[in-house]
Structure formats: structure tokens, C-alpha cells
Amino acid sequence: MKDPNGGKKGGKTMKFVCSGLTLSEAVNKASKACAVRTTTPIYECIKIEAGSEEVTLLATDGELSIRKTFKAEVFEEGAVCVPGKLFSDFIGKLTDLDLTLKTSERGLEICYLDSGSAIQTLPAEEFPEIDLTIGENSFVMKSGALKKIISETTFCCAQDDSRPILKGCLFDFKDKLEVTALDGYRLALATAEVIAKTGEKQLICPARTLSEIARMLEKDESEVTLYSQGGMMMVSSGDMTIVSRLYQGDFIKKESVIPTSFSTKLTVDKASLLASVERAAILIRGDKNNLVTLETGGGCVRVYSNSENGNVAETLLAETEGKDLTVSMNAKFLSDALRALGEERITASFNGPVSPFIVENAAEKDSLYLILPVRNAQ
């Protein structure tokens, strides 16, 4: 492809040509690390670096950093910073065109067809350094296994800042990887195979970082390596690298909260129970506690909900063991756990109406969900 504007390689400006779709996809991924509200404008920016045959995008908010590269025809090497969200939204409207991007006194010029626009920029020198030499500890896993274990746990992390460490997952690398997440009302525990590791290690990784890692990974058998050093972690896959600060502190010991024996167990078809719980949840939508009640006994489990909008009462066939039981819980917590489990039949195990209970696959015990019941005054 010829330079559409007759430029020559070299000089102090930056100039490259690429497809709008390629650029948009890359910017969309990198922009996930841009800060949303900050007093430091550079953290809202994406740094664009044009090299000999590729362009590198860098973004960071001080905790999470993302690097994404893509092939482009580079006419003049250079670097500049642009507001990430604005740039992403604008390029997203140009996905079906070839684009020429170049720096000038107007900022970053974006040329397409017979038109052109310009976005204000900040100097590349103001962008913070991102350490990509993290490598003291390494852990190799299958990409699909890491993606799966992240999806099985991160939804149980805390959302508020009252206990910041609970906004992350505990990665415990032993013979297998054990991942624990909790928010004070529920807990997730899942395990996955580790192909190779430099030693045993515990890391507390922000759920936000893990969600971006999961988006980056494929559901396949390719290998991916997690690196850690000091208080940092790095994961690379293809042309994308994610670097994150780790949380420091004492995570809750799961052994102290997960029961090992139970007085009541029920095994039931997962799809049937999930459908009943979701129907029950519709009528209690907006209620403060969002409560659904399970009643076991007589080879059945009955699902109830009551509100000003009406009530649900459904009976499902189930295998039951031990004492009959009536227990109430947040409907969302139960439905989230059921959706995360992969088998057709699940087992729920209880120790009374107010003690924590667990939900897991009936056969393969590679993950479990602990939920705190709620006293139902109705």
C-alpha cells in the first residue's frame, strides 16, 4: 500500500495506515484499563506507539495495565497519548474504512475517505512506565481451564470497598490451583489443573483483572503462563498482555467456613431447580431480601416465594437424605451458583435453616458454592 499522503519514514511525527476494524478491536481491548474518574488525566489515556511494522496500544489506571499490538503499515515511527474512551467511541464508528493516523499541531489526525478529524493529545513522555519484566514465579495452565475457573468464581467477589481484599480472588497454587472468592454472604471455591509451576504460591488478584484475562483467553487447549513478582502479576496471550497489581493482606481461610458434614442433602435436576428459582424470583423482584424458600422431604423439594405481587409454589422430584428442612436464601445467590455448575444434577447440603449450606455438582466435585441462609419472617 502506498502512503496516501506521500509521507516518508523518519521524522518527529507519527504516521501509520490500518483498517478501522483492526484498530477499533484493539482500542476496545486496551481501553478497559483506562481510568474512568481520576485527577490524573494521563490515566484516562491510551498511549499509541508506532514501530517498524506494528502499532502498540498501552493503557493503565495504576492497578490494571493492558498492552495490545496489531500489524499496520507504519510510515513514521512515534508515540502519542489520546483520551481512551473518546478515541474508542470515535474509532468504533469507522470500522468499515481504511484509516490514516498521524500526529500534527492539531493533535492526532484521523483521515478517512476525503474526510479528516483531529483529537487532542498528551505527550507520550507523560505516560507511566509499565513493567513487563515480571517473571520470578510462573504457573502454566491450559487457556480453557483458566478461563473456566475465572468464570466460576469472580461473580462471588465483593463489589464495595468496605473490605477491599474481598474484591479479589485468592489463587492458591499447590498440586492444583484452588481459587476462592467471597463477598461476606456467599463463597465460591473451584479447582483446576496446573501443567507446570516454579513453586507453591498464593496470589490475591483483583476480580476486574481476572475478568479482562478471561476475555483475552480462548476456550481451548493452548497453554498460558501466569507470572508473578513482588506485588504484580502478568499474563500474555498472543498479541495481548495484562499486568496487574495484586492485593496484599490476609484472605479468609476457607477451611474455617466450609462445613465438612451435613444433616440434610438433596440431589435434583439442575435445570428444573434453576427454572423454578428464576420464576420465583420474578414475583419477589424489588423486595429487600429477594428471598426464595426451599422445603425438602418425601422425595421432593418445594420452591416457594411470596410478595405483594403474588406467590409461587412448585414441587420437584428429588433424592433427599437426612432431616426434612425449610430454608430461605437470596434467590440471586442460588441461581448464580446453579448457572455456574456444569452437570445436569446438583447436590445441596444443609445443616439447618440458618447455617451456611453448599451447592455443587452431584458427581464431579471440582467446585462448590457456599451460601448463607436468611431468616424468613413470613
Side-chain angles (χ1 to χ4, degrees), residues 1 3 10 25 30 36 63 76 103 138 161 164 188 191 210 254 264 282 317 325 334 337 347 367:
M1 180 186 295
D3 180 348
E25 290 176 344
V36 178
E63 177 182 272
E76 298 182 34
T103 54
S138 63
D161 294 320
T191 61
L210 294 173
K254 58 183 181 296
T264 303
I282 291 172
L317 291 177
L325 176 78
L334 181 56
T347 296
S367 61

Side-chain angles (χ1 to χ4, degrees), residues 15 39 53 81 107 113-114 144-145 152 179 198 209-210 218 230 258 275 288 291 297 304 310 327 345 372:
K15 186 175 186 178
T39 57
E53 296 181 350
C81 295
L113 298 178
D114 294 325
E152 290 173 337
V179 178
T198 55
T209 296
L210 294 173
E218 300 293 334
I258 299 176
K288 179 180 179 181
L291 292 185
Y304 299 103
V327 59
R345 293 181 67 77
L372 293 182

Side-chain angles (χ1 to χ4, degrees), residues 119-313:
I119 294 178
Q120 291 298 306
T121 62
L122 289 176
E125 294 75 20
E126 293 185 11
F127 196 83
E129 289 292 326
I130 298 174
D131 186 3
L132 298 171
T133 63
I134 298 164
E136 181 179 314
N137 306 286
S138 63
F139 312 93
V140 183
M141 298 182 64
K142 293 291 180 64
S143 176
L146 180 56
K147 187 180 184 78
K148 178 175 180 286
I149 203 171
I150 291 172
S151 69
E152 290 173 337
T153 53
T154 50
F155 65 87
C156 286
C157 291
Q159 301 297 315
D160 60 70
D161 294 320
S162 59
R163 295 181 67 185
I165 202 168
L166 297 187
K167 296 176 70 176
C169 289
L170 174 65
F171 273 51
D172 192 358
F173 288 96
K174 297 179 180 177
D175 292 335
K176 292 185 175 182
L177 168 62
E178 291 186 347
V179 178
T180 307
L182 70 156
D183 62 7
Y185 302 97
R186 55 180 171 171
L187 175 149
L189 172 64
T191 61
E193 296 291 336
V194 177
I195 299 172
K197 57 186 174 66
T198 55
E200 296 187 352
K201 186 77 173 178
Q202 289 189 341
L203 311 171
I204 306 173
C205 188
R208 176 184 170 218
T209 296
L210 294 173
S211 295
E212 294 307 321
I213 291 172
R215 291 190 184 99
M216 175 180 71
L217 299 174
E218 300 293 334
K219 293 181 180 179
D220 60 22
E221 294 296 298
S222 62
E223 294 183 0
V224 60
T225 303
L226 292 82
Y227 299 95
S228 74
Q229 187 168 329
M232 305 296 293
M233 184 179 79
M234 182 176 75
V235 182
S236 294
S237 180
D239 54 13
M240 190 165 170
T241 299
I242 292 177
V243 178
S244 176
R245 292 189 182 278
L246 298 170
Y247 292 149
Q248 304 296 320
D250 295 325
F251 206 82
I252 190 168
K253 296 186 183 299
K254 58 183 181 296
E255 296 82 5
S256 65
V257 297
I258 299 176
T260 56
S261 60
F262 303 93
S263 59
T264 303
K265 288 189 178 183
L266 74 89
T267 301
V268 64
D269 179 77
K270 184 189 76 171
S272 298
L273 179 58
L274 178 59
S276 288
V277 171
E278 289 180 336
R279 284 190 289 269
I282 291 172
L283 292 185
I284 54 176
R285 189 179 295 158
D287 282 10
K288 179 180 179 181
N289 292 320
N290 192 31
L291 292 185
V292 63
T293 298
L294 304 184
E295 181 182 286
T296 70
C300 295
V301 57
R302 286 163 283 277
V303 181
Y304 299 103
S305 71
N306 294 283
S307 73
E308 295 178 353
N309 298 318
N311 64 81
V312 169

